[in-house]
Amino acid sequence: MACRGLLLGLLAVTCFIALASAESALQDFCVADLTSPVIVNGFVCKDPKLVEANDFFFTGLQIPGNTSNAFGSSLTPVTVSQLPGVNTLGIALGRFDYAPGGVIPPHTHPRATEIFTVIEGTIEAGFVTSNPANQLFKKVLQKGDVFVFPQGLVHFHRNVGQGHAAALVGFNSQNPGLIIIPPNVFGSEPLIPTEVLTKSFQVSNSVVAEIESKF
Ligand SMILES: *[C@@H]1O[C@H](CO)[C@@H](O)[C@H](O)[C@H]1NC(C)=O
């Protein structure tokens, strides 16, 4: 009896793993139904009979983003939220724009590696490793240069040229996620306890308060 129970348990575990990580697509596509109230890991599929060409179409990536903000930069994402046809396909795209001196602050994509290419200007880009700990890999990139940010690692970009700069990026997830470290750590709702931040960054309450006031 105990053995039979164990076997059933193992089968259940195997079954769950198979469902959770189907390696290959089981259908041509699963266009995201962004309005469905059903919560799954990702988005449920729109009825294939209702799918149309526009579900696989996005326009506007030729338009520079608005960089009139504190960071002097902007991101135009083309992920499952903007392009429902990429649901379950494990890809997404984006465009970055930078005013002179503009930065994309240190950030991470929890679910994707990013491949990055400069289409205009000169951009310094880098990421910091976890193993070995805290090693910076950084390059100055010109138009046509390509750099890769491995999944989950904290990275940044900065326009180091004279004029506007822009880059196109690809992700190996339809929903890469974006955690921008400064507002994530200093602008959460509610705030991380001040005692945690003063101790962690080895600064005073007033320094933490000043940074928090920016976000
Ligand atoms: C860019 O953003 C700024 C700040 O939000 C806004 O004042 C300005 O009108 C925007 N410019 C364009 C062209 O949309």
Side-chain angles (χ1 to χ4, degrees):
M1 279 304 269
C3 185
R4 191 157 159 242
L6 178 65
L7 263 178
L8 282 175
L10 276 175
L11 273 176
V13 167
T14 311
C15 222
F16 172 75
I17 290 170
L19 281 173
S21 63
E23 284 289 313
S24 51
L26 304 176
Q27 51 206 355
D28 280 352
F29 48 74
C30 168
V31 170
D33 180 350
L34 299 174
T35 61
S36 171
V38 178
I39 307 295
V40 295
N41 181 21
F43 293 98
V44 299
C45 309
K46 183 174 170 179
D47 181 346
K49 292 190 291 297
L50 303 177
V51 166
E52 51 188 47
N54 272 341
D55 289 321
F56 302 95
F57 175 75
F58 174 93
T59 186
L61 217 53
Q62 82 285 10
I63 301 167
N66 186 343
T67 59
S68 297
N69 53 59
F71 297 140
S73 65
S74 82
L75 164 62
T76 307
V78 189
T79 68
V80 68
S81 300
Q82 296 79 29
L83 182 55
V86 299
N87 193 38
T88 74
L89 299 182
I91 53 167
L93 207 59
R95 173 184 174 129
F96 288 104
D97 288 278
Y98 317 79
V103 301
I104 296 289
H107 66 282
T108 168
H109 308 287
R111 293 176 290 281
T113 288
E114 172 180 335
I115 188 163
F116 177 101
T117 188
V118 178
I119 58 171
E120 184 183 348
T122 306
I123 297 169
E124 179 182 58
F127 65 87
V128 181
T129 62
S130 78
N131 178 23
N134 307 332
Q135 188 173 339
L136 173 66
F137 290 99
K138 180 174 75 72
K139 290 285 285 184
V140 173
L141 308 169
Q142 310 292 343
K143 183 174 178 175
D145 291 349
V146 178
F147 202 56
V148 170
F149 306 105
Q151 178 167 354
L153 301 187
V154 171
H155 56 284
F156 61 86
H157 328 142
R158 178 166 72 110
N159 180 359
V160 292
Q162 300 301 313
H164 185 90
L168 284 180
V169 295
F171 299 100
N172 64 337
S173 166
Q174 60 267 14
N175 187 16
L178 171 61
I179 297 171
I180 302 176
I181 306 298
N184 191 257
V185 175
F186 291 97
S188 63
E189 178 64 49
L191 289 168
I192 293 175
T194 301
E195 296 71 21
V196 173
L197 297 177
T198 53
K199 196 84 169 170
S200 300
F201 288 90
Q202 298 286 294
V203 295
S204 64
N205 286 5
S206 61
V207 170
V208 167
E210 183 185 351
I211 300 175
E212 286 175 344
S213 73
K214 313 287 184 191
F215 304 106

